[in-house]
Amino acid sequence: QAFFCLLLCIPWGSSCPPSCQCTERAGAKAVLCSSRHLEEIPKDIPRDVVFLKLDANSITRIPSNAFGHLSHLEEIDLSRNAIEKIDRAAFRGVAAGLRSLDLSSNRIRSIPKEALLALHAKLRLANNPWHCECALQEVLWEARLDLDSVRDITCHTAPREEYVGKPLLQVLDAGANLCGARQRTTDVAVLVAMFGWFAMVVAYVVCYVRHNREDSCRPLPPAQAHAE
């Protein structure tokens, strides 16, 4: 935060979104759009920005390729918005270079794991109304979460009532496996499909045998019987 405060004092001359302030310090360019009543991510953010602050706005969605043209981007602050939906390809184009992504204090209930697992950035996901499910569990185990905020990832809703209101980390430490139900459902679907395929093969064989039996028992035509 102190770094961003210093950046405020040093403007830079390239194009800047009308609702934002653009600054530079030691060659690192920042676009500061905090508390600007934005409802979507600005489309005219300069390509060479390194730090992007979009916190304390009214943004509801992060669409696909929202930052794809910002190849120098290292930090994004989207905290304290109203984000409910994050597309699978929301961070395509910046995944390799991004070091920090703050999505805390939004309205996020679920998130496609593909949107986050490709990132090398440190993630802040606390204080969202999470639905504790398999995808969130996989994110928790595989993504780089900020350790100071991971305890504040709480189950707002969950498949089992006893998980509601508890930190997700506590639920998982107690031995819960949120991916277990999905795995069982998948196993049942596979078994049903296999049984259906087997029943179809059996029915075909039975019909084939019956058809051959009927042909062998059928009486010969009169002309053919007389010739014999």
Side-chain angles (χ1 to χ4, degrees):
Q1 292 180 347
F3 176 69
F4 281 112
C5 289
L6 288 172
L7 288 175
L8 285 172
C9 304
I10 310 174
W12 47 283
S14 61
S15 61
C16 187
S19 56
C20 304
Q21 184 173 1
C22 298
T23 62
E24 182 176 356
R25 179 175 181 268
K29 297 183 177 181
V31 175
L32 312 177
C33 310
S34 305
S35 304
R36 302 294 176 134
H37 306 289
L38 298 175
E39 296 183 356
E40 60 181 18
I41 297 168
K43 295 180 172 58
D44 49 355
I45 298 172
R47 292 179 175 273
D48 51 355
V49 63
V50 177
F51 305 101
L52 177 60
K53 284 185 69 68
L54 293 163
D55 56 305
N57 284 291
S58 302
I59 298 170
T60 59
R61 178 191 174 200
I62 308 177
S64 296
N65 301 305
F67 310 99
H69 64 294
L70 308 176
S71 58
H72 299 279
L73 199 56
E74 295 182 6
E75 296 185 17
I76 306 175
D77 186 353
L78 283 158
S79 63
R80 296 182 296 149
N81 274 278
I83 298 170
E84 297 180 352
K85 180 176 176 56
I86 299 176
D87 291 358
R88 295 177 184 273
F91 303 103
R92 180 182 296 165
V94 296
L98 204 61
R99 294 189 293 107
S100 175
L101 173 61
D102 194 341
L103 293 168
S104 59
S105 301
N106 278 281
R107 300 176 185 172
I108 306 170
R109 296 189 69 251
S110 63
I111 188 169
K113 64 179 182 179
E114 297 86 355
L116 297 182
L117 294 184
L119 294 175
H120 302 294
K122 183 177 289 188
L123 300 172
R124 297 180 66 89
L125 303 175
N127 301 318
N128 282 286
W130 290 107
H131 175 63
C132 289
E133 58 182 349
C134 183
L136 184 59
Q137 176 179 313
E138 291 176 340
V139 167
L140 188 66
W141 289 142
E142 298 184 38
R144 291 187 57 213
L145 295 177
D146 182 82
L147 296 180
D148 295 331
S149 66
V150 68
R151 65 178 65 89
D152 294 321
I153 301 176
T154 303
C155 297
H156 185 73
T157 57
R160 298 177 62 173
E161 189 66 28
E162 60 263 35
Y163 301 158
V164 176
K166 293 183 178 180
L168 177 58
L169 194 61
Q170 178 182 334
V171 170
L172 297 177
D173 283 344
N177 182 7
L178 301 175
C179 295
R182 188 180 73 175
Q183 184 62 45
R184 286 193 295 272
T185 302
T186 302
D187 291 344
V188 170
V190 170
L191 287 174
V192 169
M194 291 180 64
F195 178 79
W197 179 83
F198 180 74
M200 182 179 66
V201 171
V202 170
Y204 175 80
V205 171
V206 170
C207 290
Y208 180 79
V209 170
R210 285 182 177 176
H211 178 73
N212 285 345
R213 283 182 178 177
E214 291 173 358
D215 286 347
S216 62
C217 296
R218 187 177 300 163
L220 295 172
Q224 186 175 354
H226 179 72
E228 293 180 356

